[in-house]
Amino acid sequence: MQHATGLRPPSRLLVSDADHHRLTGLARASLDRVPETAEEPLSEMDRAIVTAAASMPANVVRMGSTVTIRNDGGERITLVYPGDADISENRISVLTPLGTALIGATIGQTVRWSSRGGRELSATIEVVDAPACGREGS
């Protein structure tokens, strides 16, 4: 089981209505096949504060956001749906432990998650670039 919410207070998970709808559906569809991958995103969506996509603050990580995180070295990644993931291009699926930890987090926040091997990891969000027009929810 992954633990994506280590340092995130429950009231700090803000998700757009479009992302909430699509992520909930995606996680539910995966529940029977890969429950270890689906349970954490479902849990996150259950506790999310849902808002209109047009009202999302710029500092919140959402689908399609490009995020600069500080961890052991620092990296720039884009949060995407599983079909768009490509590790060689730093496009990370929202259904990975890191992806689930990032959705709804804000600049300055430290997120924690467990790697698939069970190692505890963390990163601090330094920059959030909003999705390019037409990329959110793609």
Side-chain angles (χ1 to χ4, degrees):
M1 180 175 190
Q2 51 188 315
H3 302 283
T5 59
L7 296 179
R8 185 185 309 171
S11 63
R12 297 293 300 166
L13 178 59
L14 186 64
V15 179
S16 75
D17 49 3
D19 284 349
H20 186 271
H21 177 75
R22 187 158 179 200
L23 290 170
T24 300
L26 184 63
R28 284 189 180 139
S30 301
L31 200 53
D32 288 337
R33 294 184 321 259
V34 281
E36 65 282 354
T37 299
E39 289 172 354
E40 190 70 23
L42 276 176
S43 175
E44 294 290 87
M45 291 303 103
D46 283 347
R47 70 182 192 85
I49 297 169
V50 182
T51 189
S55 300
M56 287 291 290
N59 69 335
V60 176
V61 179
R62 58 190 152 228
M63 296 307 301
S65 293
T66 299
V67 182
T68 303
I69 58 172
R70 184 180 65 236
N71 50 14
D72 291 338
E75 58 189 304
R76 192 163 164 79
I77 59 175
T78 301
L79 187 63
V80 298
Y81 290 101
D84 297 323
D86 184 341
I87 196 71
S88 69
E89 294 184 19
N90 289 336
R91 296 173 61 83
I92 305 298
S93 169
V94 69
L95 293 185
T96 63
L98 172 57
T100 300
L102 287 173
I103 190 76
T106 59
I107 293 174
Q109 195 169 2
T110 298
V111 294
R112 294 182 190 252
W113 69 98
S114 294
S115 70
R116 297 209 190 274
R119 189 170 149 222
E120 292 293 321
L121 303 167
S122 67
T124 300
I125 299 166
E126 294 187 327
V127 176
V128 175
D129 293 325
C133 191
R135 276 183 34 204
E136 183 173 7
S138 59

